[in-house]
Amino acid sequence: MLSDRRPILLANARIVDPSRDLDFPGDLLIADGVIREAKRGIHATGVPEGTEVIDCDGRLVAPGLVDMRAFIGEPGAEYRETLATASQAAAAGGVTTIVCQPDTNPVIDDPAIVDFVLRRASATAIVHVQPMAALTKGLEGTELAEIGLLKAAGAVAFTDGVKSVVNAQVMRRALTYAGDFDALVVHHTEDPNLIGDGVMNEGEFAARLGLFGIPKAAETIVLERDVRLVALSEARYHAASITCAESLAVLRRAKEAGLNVSAAASVNHLTLNEIDIGSYRTFFKVSPPLRSEDDRTALVQALSEGLLDVVMSDHNPQDVEVKRLPFAEAAPGAIGLETMFAAGLRLVHNGELQLTTLLKAMSTRPAELLGLQCGTLKPGSPADVIVADIDAPWVLDPAELKSKCKNTPFDEARLQGRVLRTIVAGRTVFEYASA
Amino acid sequence: MNIAAKSTFVLHRRHLLGIAGLSADEISGLLDLAEEFVELNRQIEKKRASLRGRTLINLFFEASTRTQSSFELAGKRLGADVMNMAVANSSLKKGETLIDTAMTLNAMHPDILVVRHHASGAVELLAQKVDGSVVNAGDGAHEHPTQALLDALTIRRNKGPIERLTVTICGDILHSRVARSNIILLNTMGARVRVVAPSTLLPPGIERFGVEVSRDMREGLKGADIVMMLRLQRERMNGSFVPSTQEYFHYYGLDQKKLGYAKPDALVMHPGPMNRGVEIDSAVADGAQSLIREQVEMGVAVRMAVLEALSRNLPNI
């Protein structure tokens, strides 16, 4: 699979570099693991000897995607996903950097575990893996994790995964302390008490299914609280997964007030809504829950305006044992590494979003927030690059997914756009073999 | 000797999972068929042979007295072999999943599975995995279709066509599958439906169900032909839904005084089991306006009608 590190010329491509708002026909030269140059006519003027020349035939060349939220399962739940299988899925989906979450077993709340994940990833994964570490010890929400030491060990941000820090005092101290280390605090904004027995969006549809609802206020209250705590600190704060129009209003006010606040939405919340649950389809049970169509369109609008910073996969593998259950009893989560780009392209094909905007939210912005050098095609940047045919139609066959679990809401969905080649640090790690 | 069935109604569906999706004609067809079974059940010879050779399995994941015994009797009177699965003592307690249980039972070739489960949607999930017909005997807070049908039969026999009536449903709508199935059925049949409950016991979005919503018994019962009371489970006190049974009874418990807000000839219903002194006063429950015992009688007839109408649609080979 891994090719040698011969220079690569991606010729005759549509080059989109969202970090510089560039979209032009040209060639991209990669050598020694970095991007040498991206411009028109490199091919004609000559390339280094031994260069592998790939004719892209007008197809997209863009920075590899940076998925800011993926739950992997290694260590502790390797039956769900390993760093290796996640990286295979990522490569097939054009994701060149996976940001894994700390809710493993053991929890990534100790520098030695950050070290383990990084070593394990470099030994087994074919894309970059950057771990987030716990914000509080054991994700318990009571004592601060060793933010300084964890950051020094390589943690790119701090989060309690799918758990919210309920105690406002703990959250305030976490934000204040993290600010001293310029550490990014990433928070799942959902009040567990307001979630209660809720399993999907609160409203008519939940009432009809006889399922208990999760009010949008469960999210908005925590986000609003956090924003006010950020104002008391020097912290950099990122809302991990927001889902509703009301949260966007909070985000807008925070940004207008000049606070260092950013937010992500999952590709699921941008492309699906609560109606997709249909008759209790547990592959559409995610946390936070899918919201109304009005919320979905508000998220897309916010993404288009640049208010919403990041689109992530929220990749969360769950096996059939915990999905083939009555809806309320099924585990939340959907896989997404392999489909985030194709699913996101739905918005582009529908005319709801510019391609550059989508790519920026999936590469440039997360890289900036996490302090990574990727997410750009600037000369000298790491050669994490994808080639994609954004128009190719296909039907998702779960059997072909590389992830260990097949819990995708895009099961048998019609998608348009597929990654043809994924290059990580100058090496081709995935090539689509058309059947 | 058997009385020949007059109604030839067939439910052209494999399962009865809910009232949602049934047409007014289908509901009327089931009720007409049930009328015949009411007569049959009042005779000494109560048996028919229409389900002879068929196997019916009662699979109750949640305790039930009246629904389970009612289905059992219904199946037996139609000549089916009826088996009750005592799930509390079964392999489900040993970690077997719902689906595995369904597959295991399916291998025994039951023609009809009657299923109750504490989780909304569980019966539908099970129905996807078996070959026979599945009847929902109550799933979570979702639906309890045979209860709504027996309520409709009771109403129709006492008040005539449902379409002209005002029906007020009172109590814990939020957790009630009976309320959901009744609201859908009564709306389908053209009744005017009201719900009365404290706001904490109303599901958000209820106003989009085509009901008038009230938090006050005097307002909600005004002009009602039928008052349906719902059971309030005592665990709701712990969940901060209502402060106490005393306060609940004071504002929402049906006593003679509150019943006086409804039409003078209003009739009272309750799906049971009742919490006397919590949602309903004994004087009302046992009074002249109560239909509660008749509901139980109608339960057997309606379930016979459902089993019969579904079995007529089963392959005969």
Side-chain angles (χ1 to χ4, degrees):
Chain A
M1 193 76 196
L2 292 178
S3 66
D4 58 87
R5 291 246 282 196
R6 280 202 292 159
I8 299 174
L9 182 75
L10 301 173
N12 304 319
R14 174 187 176 187
I15 293 177
V16 175
D17 183 357
S19 74
R20 294 177 290 168
D21 288 316
L22 296 177
D23 183 346
F24 64 97
D27 304 341
L28 183 98
L29 179 65
I30 292 166
D32 302 322
V34 298
I35 292 165
R36 288 288 174 217
E37 54 183 337
K39 64 177 188 189
R40 282 172 211 257
I42 302 175
H43 197 193
T45 57
V47 290
E49 201 176 329
T51 298
E52 180 185 5
V53 178
I54 297 158
D55 184 357
C56 295
D57 195 19
R59 298 206 174 88
L60 173 74
V61 164
L65 309 182
V66 178
D67 184 4
M68 206 166 163
R69 184 155 145 125
F71 298 87
I72 305 299
E74 183 171 3
E78 287 81 358
Y79 68 94
R80 286 172 57 202
E81 196 86 286
T82 61
L83 293 163
T85 57
S87 75
Q88 299 281 346
V95 175
T96 50
T97 301
I98 302 172
V99 181
C100 64
Q101 300 295 299
D103 58 346
T104 46
N105 183 15
V107 169
I108 306 177
D109 63 357
D110 185 293
I113 302 169
V114 174
D115 190 56
F116 167 82
V117 170
L118 289 172
R119 282 169 191 270
R120 187 78 186 138
S122 74
T124 64
I126 60 171
V127 304
H128 303 297
V129 174
Q130 301 285 358
M132 286 193 193
L135 183 62
T136 66
K137 285 194 184 105
L139 313 176
E140 301 277 344
T142 48
E143 294 173 56
L144 291 193
E146 294 169 335
I147 291 172
L149 295 174
L150 287 161
K151 188 166 189 241
V156 289
F158 297 83
T159 182
D160 276 1
V162 290
K163 293 175 82 178
S164 273
V165 176
V166 176
N167 186 321
Q169 179 71 284
V170 172
M171 191 62 184
R172 181 184 179 184
R173 296 220 169 103
L175 286 165
T176 306
Y177 188 80
D180 291 351
F181 291 90
D182 192 31
L184 181 69
V185 173
V186 178
H187 198 215
H188 181 99
T189 50
E190 243 190 341
D191 182 313
N193 293 311
L194 270 174
I195 294 173
D197 294 328
V199 292
M200 67 173 287
N201 185 36
E202 181 172 288
E204 179 194 357
F205 200 58
R208 288 196 184 276
L209 288 173
L211 297 172
F212 299 115
I214 301 173
K216 293 170 192 172
E219 171 177 311
T220 315
I221 286 172
V222 176
L223 183 63
E224 180 77 57
R225 178 202 74 174
D226 287 354
V227 163
R228 283 163 194 271
L229 295 175
V230 170
L232 302 177
S233 72
E234 301 288 315
R236 292 196 296 128
Y237 172 88
H238 176 79
S241 177
I242 66 169
T243 65
C244 62
E246 290 84 345
S247 291
L248 292 167
V250 177
L251 182 65
R252 187 185 300 279
R253 267 188 284 116
K255 287 192 168 188
E256 283 170 1
L259 298 175
N260 209 334
V261 167
S262 60
S266 84
V267 74
N268 301 323
H269 292 94
L270 287 159
T271 58
L272 307 169
N273 67 34
E274 59 181 342
I275 307 293
D276 286 303
I277 290 168
S279 56
Y280 306 99
R281 294 159 77 191
T282 58
F283 283 6
F284 293 84
K285 182 177 181 181
V286 292
S287 174
L290 296 175
R291 300 290 185 188
S292 70
E293 177 62 10
D294 287 348
D295 290 304
R296 188 195 71 79
T297 53
L299 290 177
V300 175
Q301 176 65 27
L303 181 62
S304 191
E305 288 171 21
L307 173 63
L308 190 59
D309 300 84
V310 170
V311 175
M312 48 75 186
S313 76
D314 207 17
H315 182 82
N316 193 347
Q318 300 287 0
D319 67 10
V320 290
E321 305 307 319
V322 294
K323 277 293 187 186
R324 279 206 326 185
L325 291 173
F327 195 87
E329 295 167 12
I335 57 168
L337 280 166
E338 214 163 332
T339 48
M340 69 183 284
F341 185 50
L345 279 172
R346 279 186 171 180
L347 305 174
V348 175
H349 294 306
N350 289 348
E352 294 180 274
L353 200 66
Q354 296 293 316
L355 176 63
T356 310
T357 312
L358 179 70
L359 288 167
K360 184 178 281 186
M362 286 185 172
S363 61
T364 308
R365 276 303 279 152
E368 284 168 1
L369 291 168
L370 296 165
L372 305 174
Q373 301 304 309
C374 56
T376 173
L377 298 178
K378 274 183 209 148
S381 304
D384 297 345
V385 177
I386 57 172
V387 182
D389 179 346
I390 63 165
D391 295 314
W394 55 296
V395 176
L396 189 137
D397 176 359
E400 286 178 8
L401 290 173
K402 305 212 172 348
S403 191
K404 276 197 173 184
C405 295
K406 312 298 180 192
N407 56 307
T408 169
F410 299 100
D411 196 350
E412 295 180 13
R414 286 159 206 280
L415 296 164
Q416 198 181 346
R418 97 136 83 228
V419 174
L420 301 177
R421 180 183 293 264
T422 302
I423 297 168
V424 173
R427 282 196 176 94
T428 296
V429 297
F430 170 80
E431 227 185 307
Y432 175 64
S434 54
Chain B
M1 71 151 266
N2 288 333
I3 305 166
K6 286 183 231 106
S7 163
T8 54
F9 177 73
V10 182
L11 195 58
H12 290 285
R13 295 168 183 273
R14 189 142 75 89
H15 310 300
L16 179 67
L17 300 175
I19 297 294
L22 289 186
S23 67
D25 283 348
E26 285 175 306
I27 291 165
S28 294
L30 284 168
L31 298 182
D32 293 343
L33 183 57
E35 291 280 7
E36 290 182 28
F37 291 119
V38 175
E39 299 312 311
L40 182 72
N41 286 338
R42 288 177 178 176
Q43 314 212 353
I44 294 172
E45 171 60 61
K46 301 178 182 64
K47 284 204 87 153
R48 277 227 185 137
S50 46
L51 262 67
R52 191 156 75 194
R54 303 279 192 200
T55 302
L56 184 155
I57 298 182
N58 263 332
L59 182 60
F60 278 60
F61 295 91
E62 198 181 65
S64 157
T65 309
R66 72 186 67 204
T67 305
Q68 183 172 341
S69 55
S70 170
F71 268 109
E72 182 177 356
L73 210 48
K76 285 179 171 166
R77 285 185 181 166
L78 293 173
D81 293 317
V82 181
M83 184 174 85
N84 289 313
M85 283 285 294
V87 173
N89 307 318
S90 81
S91 46
L92 259 130
K93 291 278 172 188
K94 298 171 199 156
E96 190 175 82
T97 68
L98 174 68
I99 305 254
D100 288 339
T101 304
M103 301 304 273
T104 304
L105 290 178
N106 193 47
M108 301 177 191
H109 301 294
D111 300 282
I112 301 179
L113 273 168
V114 175
V115 186
R116 169 171 288 189
H117 197 278
H118 52 82
S120 299
V123 179
E124 188 167 335
L125 178 65
L126 189 143
Q128 291 162 8
K129 308 289 174 187
V130 299
D131 300 313
S133 288
V134 173
V135 178
N136 183 0
D139 65 322
H142 178 223
E143 282 236 42
H144 190 354
T146 58
Q147 178 71 43
L149 287 165
L150 77 88
D151 288 343
L153 183 63
T154 310
I155 294 170
R156 208 175 77 164
R157 286 173 63 91
N158 286 278
K159 290 283 182 190
I162 291 168
E163 66 197 33
R164 292 186 283 107
L165 303 174
T166 298
V167 181
T168 301
I169 306 174
C170 309
D172 186 357
I173 313 281
L174 177 66
H175 298 94
S176 179
R177 53 194 173 217
V178 175
R180 281 174 181 73
S181 288
N182 265 310
I183 289 168
I184 299 166
L185 185 147
L186 293 165
N187 271 326
T188 304
M189 301 310 284
R192 181 173 176 184
V193 187
R194 294 191 193 142
V195 296
V196 184
S199 296
T200 46
L201 293 176
L202 287 169
I206 185 70
E207 66 288 344
R208 313 232 356 213
F209 278 58
V211 297
E212 298 162 39
V213 182
S214 174
R215 280 83 182 171
D216 177 73
M217 289 289 266
R218 183 192 287 261
E219 177 189 86
L221 291 186
K222 189 162 181 253
D225 298 286
I226 297 285
V227 183
M228 277 188 186
M229 300 307 297
L230 298 172
R231 176 180 169 81
L232 181 77
Q233 296 193 337
R234 286 170 194 275
E235 305 88 81
R236 305 299 171 222
M237 309 307 142
N238 307 329
S240 293
F241 289 100
V242 287
S244 70
T245 53
Q246 287 87 337
E247 177 154 329
Y248 185 78
F249 185 76
H250 180 77
Y251 289 104
Y252 296 99
L254 189 69
D255 54 15
Q256 285 294 353
K257 180 165 175 261
K258 294 196 195 85
L259 183 55
Y261 303 142
K263 279 191 183 162
D265 62 347
L267 295 171
V268 177
M269 302 175 75
H270 192 297
M274 285 183 282
N275 281 314
R276 291 168 185 267
V278 179
E279 72 265 357
I280 191 162
D281 188 55
S282 281
V284 172
D286 306 327
Q289 288 169 272
S290 169
L291 292 174
I292 296 169
R293 261 171 299 180
E294 189 176 333
Q295 285 175 273
V296 180
E297 184 190 353
M298 294 307 119
V300 179
V302 151
R303 283 159 187 139
M304 288 170 80
V306 166
L307 298 177
E308 173 96 27
L310 279 175
S311 72
R312 286 175 180 172
N313 189 48
L314 284 173
N316 237 332
I317 42 162

